[in-house]
Amino acid sequence: SSVDSHVLVIFGASGDLAQRKLIPAVFDLFRGGYLPEKFALLGASRTDFTDEDFRKKVVFDNEHFEQKDASDDDVKTFSEKLFYQDLASYDGEKDIEALAARLIKLDEEYGVGKNYIFYLSTPPKLYSTIPGALAKAGLNESEEGWSRLIVEKPFGYDEESAVKLNKDIQSYFRENTIYRIDHYLGKETVQNLLVTRFANGFFEPLWNRNYVQSVQITAAETVGVGSRGGYYDESGAMRDMVQNHLLQVLAHVAMEPPIRADAPSIRDEKLKLFKSLRPITKKDVKNQVVRAQYTEGRTKSGDVVSYRDAEGVPSESKTETYVGMKFFIDNWRWAGVPFFVRTGKCLPLKLTEVVITFKNPPQALFSEYDDYAMSCDNQLIIRIQPDEGMALEFGMKVPGEGFRVKNVDMDFFYRDLTKNDVPAAYTRLLLDCMKGEPTLYARGDSVEAAWAFIDPILKAWEADEVPLYSYTAGSWGPLQADALWKGEGSGWRNPS
Ligand code: BG6
């Protein structure tokens, strides 16, 4: 479906996310011919800018704005669709009245109409206030068009605050106009998980407790917290990566087939999956979840100081930069299959992948020829990033006498499928919202269910009931995380 004329209002437009991701994504849409002819982007924030200042900051002087093959004229035409409205306090009714007046003026001058997307890219404490003010000004629903609200992460700080936030914004905007963004859902390879599973006849029959030994999901980063220490220390790896991004990836790996490939059906299955996660109670935390912080070391991104010495991080900080965990899904498909998830800063590689390890055949027929044949792992490795693609590992006979077995892999690279650049996550997601297509956004109930799973772990950590380990920057994390695999086979896959 095509995109209606509209105005995209970005709150927090002078911030980091707008510069790094949002404006470049809107430019991609412009270059691809996806934007409607009548379109305006209205940046709003506290900085005192003119339209020209704003264009300069987010387009002409923005180091993240890549012109690629676009001409200077294209860039100029694009920049003329950008406008700016300063807001003294965000919650002041006056501000939103001024914003409402500006929207009417934009329509009068440019005929951009009365459809609106409001993008919240501000500090989270404004996530309730702004929708409230928009509702008061009548911008939450319009008789002459549509209004949609995009909410950035973090969506809540724990279960209680997420429930409250949902309640607040749902009292101002209808649920089907609320778009909770999780940029991992915008990644092609995360969407491709659904196609791999449900468009092929041979994976799905194996995708269950009868054939799967374990499932592991890794999101490793080489960078430390850099200059984001202030934000990160309030968050930590669990809130920053696991509660949102990695549980979303898990849902795509483990959910039941939806009855249709539409938003309600897919979102219903995800909710069911989150509800079937076996709770990790406070007393299970020490056996199933490992938290750790990096100490000084060397990574591919260079030398790093200890997390506690990073800018903006208190020297006594107990915030985790690594999480490794093991858990179960209590449903028919997955009963008894262990799931492992880990993520960390300052690990040896930047890599996100899912590994499905299949059970061994019932007999080790060739073991007298080779010890290796006993441990020949049948694994499906789904590389979310980089080198997007998939590899299937299995045993083959080594040419020559006897029956020696060797692991080989069939490797597919996603980039071979298209000549075009794979669209960036934010580009895809923004376009979906413009079209009114919510499938790749998180629904309120499933965000709450994901929090319900994570919350007891955070509570146990806060109560200091389990140790905080450390790992040297540049290593694969604390040794204690290897112990999670005891009795469960293959162990973490640590590619080099
Ligand atoms: C963000 C986190 O949501 O995701 C960052 O706040 C993290 O800490 C980033 O680095 C990872 O995203 P990607 O797309 O680079 O894997």
Side-chain angles (χ1 to χ4, degrees):
S1 60
S2 65
V3 175
D4 299 334
S5 303
H6 68 281
V7 183
L8 168 62
V9 181
I10 301 181
F11 291 98
S14 57
D16 186 58
L17 184 75
Q19 284 202 66
R20 275 192 306 119
K21 304 283 184 186
L22 304 181
I23 305 287
V26 180
F27 182 59
D28 277 348
L29 292 175
F30 169 75
R31 280 194 323 149
Y34 293 107
L35 290 184
E37 205 187 317
K38 307 280 184 197
F39 167 84
L41 186 158
L42 180 61
S45 73
R46 255 179 287 205
T47 320
D48 184 13
F49 277 152
T50 62
D51 291 344
E52 277 314 316
D53 295 337
F54 179 59
R55 292 170 186 171
K56 204 158 165 313
K57 178 169 168 92
V58 299
V59 176
F60 300 108
D61 291 352
N62 180 1
E63 56 169 323
H64 305 284
F65 187 93
E66 277 182 54
Q67 201 163 325
K68 292 185 198 142
D69 47 3
S71 67
D72 288 351
D73 271 358
D74 280 349
V75 175
K76 187 159 170 286
T77 312
F78 172 73
S79 75
E80 284 162 0
K81 297 179 183 293
L82 271 48
F83 303 89
Y84 187 80
Q85 175 73 30
D86 69 85
L87 306 174
S89 57
Y90 277 125
D91 50 347
E93 268 171 51
K94 276 219 178 67
D95 281 341
I96 298 294
E97 274 169 29
L99 184 93
R102 186 74 192 273
L103 288 170
I104 290 174
K105 204 160 147 248
L106 284 174
D107 184 29
E108 283 166 4
E109 283 176 36
Y110 303 96
V112 289
K114 294 197 169 65
N115 297 318
Y116 307 122
I117 298 178
F118 298 103
Y119 197 122
L120 300 183
S121 168
T122 63
K125 63 176 193 296
L126 296 167
Y127 285 3
S128 299
T129 329
I130 296 175
L134 290 170
K136 213 158 184 189
L139 289 168
N140 55 337
E141 307 205 37
S142 105
E143 279 165 23
E144 298 157 82
W146 45 255
S147 268
R148 297 174 189 146
L149 180 73
I150 303 185
V151 190
E152 251 305 328
K153 66 173 270 218
F155 197 91
Y157 182 75
D158 53 13
E159 186 183 4
E160 193 188 344
S161 55
V163 171
K164 165 125 191 354
L165 180 56
N166 264 335
K167 207 160 160 253
D168 285 354
I169 59 176
Q170 285 165 342
S171 70
Y172 306 125
F173 280 76
R174 275 173 298 120
E175 173 63 28
N176 65 0
T177 63
I178 302 171
Y179 290 71
R180 296 169 192 80
I181 201 161
D182 185 309
H183 82 279
Y184 266 58
L185 290 175
K187 292 183 192 278
E188 282 288 330
T189 41
V190 174
Q191 296 156 35
N192 187 48
L193 277 165
L194 300 183
V195 175
T196 303
R197 287 186 57 195
F198 303 131
N200 293 301
F202 60 88
F203 287 125
E204 192 55 22
L206 303 180
W207 212 264
N208 59 55
R209 64 188 303 269
N210 296 322
Y211 303 100
V212 173
Q213 173 76 38
S214 67
V215 176
Q216 58 177 296
I217 303 176
T218 293
E221 294 184 276
T222 53
V223 293
V225 288
S227 56
R228 290 170 79 222
Y231 153 77
Y232 194 88
D233 201 64
E234 295 284 298
S235 163
M238 188 66 107
R239 291 187 174 91
D240 190 48
M241 292 291 293
V242 181
Q243 185 276 332
N244 34 55
H245 306 326
L246 297 185
L247 289 186
Q248 290 295 338
V249 174
L250 170 77
H252 283 207
V253 173
M255 71 188 218
E256 292 302 309
I259 51 173
R260 268 183 293 278
D262 60 15
S265 315
I266 293 177
R267 293 162 129 204
D268 284 350
E269 293 307 330
K270 286 186 173 183
L271 175 63
K272 251 168 67 191
L273 192 271
F274 291 142
K275 285 187 164 171
S276 5
L277 294 172
R278 185 186 303 168
I280 298 182
T281 60
K282 269 175 113 177
K283 74 173 186 352
D284 300 326
V285 173
K286 69 174 182 318
N287 300 323
Q288 287 180 244
V289 191
V290 169
R291 59 168 171 166
Q293 239 177 27
Y294 64 82
T295 54
E296 187 183 11
R298 161 156 239 163
T299 71
K300 286 215 162 131
S301 313
D303 289 336
V304 278
V305 296
S306 301
Y307 176 68
R308 289 185 180 182
D309 293 329
E311 185 191 326
V313 176
S315 57
E316 301 284 283
S317 169
K318 297 213 107 185
T319 301
E320 79 289 355
T321 61
Y322 175 99
V323 177
M325 60 198 285
K326 168 184 173 179
F327 56 88
F328 294 89
I329 296 173
D330 285 336
N331 65 15
W332 280 50
R333 180 185 292 270
W334 295 118
V337 178
F339 282 74
F340 297 85
V341 167
R342 67 175 166 168
T343 183
K345 302 278 184 199
C346 291
L347 298 184
L349 293 175
K350 164 93 182 161
L351 156 119
T352 305
E353 66 174 27
V354 177
V355 180
I356 315 284
T357 302
F358 293 94
K359 289 186 173 165
N360 287 329
Q363 279 193 305
L365 202 55
F366 307 115
S367 57
E368 66 178 279
Y369 296 97
D370 197 343
D371 294 346
Y372 197 49
M374 307 267 302
S375 63
C376 161
D377 269 346
N378 283 169
Q379 290 189 322
L380 178 68
I381 298 151
I382 302 160
R383 292 184 303 262
I384 307 284
Q385 61 187 24
D387 287 335
E388 288 81 355
M390 219 179 265
L392 188 61
E393 302 218 334
F394 52 94
M396 291 283 267
K397 181 178 174 305
V398 177
E401 57 174 333
F403 287 99
R404 284 182 55 222
V405 181
K406 180 180 163 42
N407 249 9
V408 297
D409 61 332
M410 267 183 352
D411 210 342
F412 164 77
F413 288 88
Y414 214 65
R415 59 175 175 263
D416 297 340
L417 215 55
T418 169
K419 283 203 199 66
N420 306 332
D421 285 347
V422 176
Y426 275 98
T427 309
R428 167 67 200 265
L429 292 175
L430 273 173
L431 180 60
D432 278 6
C433 178
M434 290 174 179
K435 290 178 171 170
E437 167 52 65
T439 311
L440 299 177
Y441 285 84
R443 200 168 65 190
D445 49 8
S446 75
V447 172
E448 290 180 16
W451 270 119
F453 177 61
I454 298 297
D455 203 78
I457 306 171
L458 296 171
K459 295 282 160 12
W461 287 354
E462 273 154 33
D464 235 344
E465 286 169 10
V466 285
L468 169 72
Y469 299 110
S470 61
Y471 61 104
T472 311
S475 72
W476 272 110
L479 287 177
Q480 288 82 359
D482 294 341
L484 294 170
W485 283 84
K486 202 160 164 239
E488 305 289 9
S490 61
W492 298 113
R493 198 182 100 89
N494 292 341
S496 50

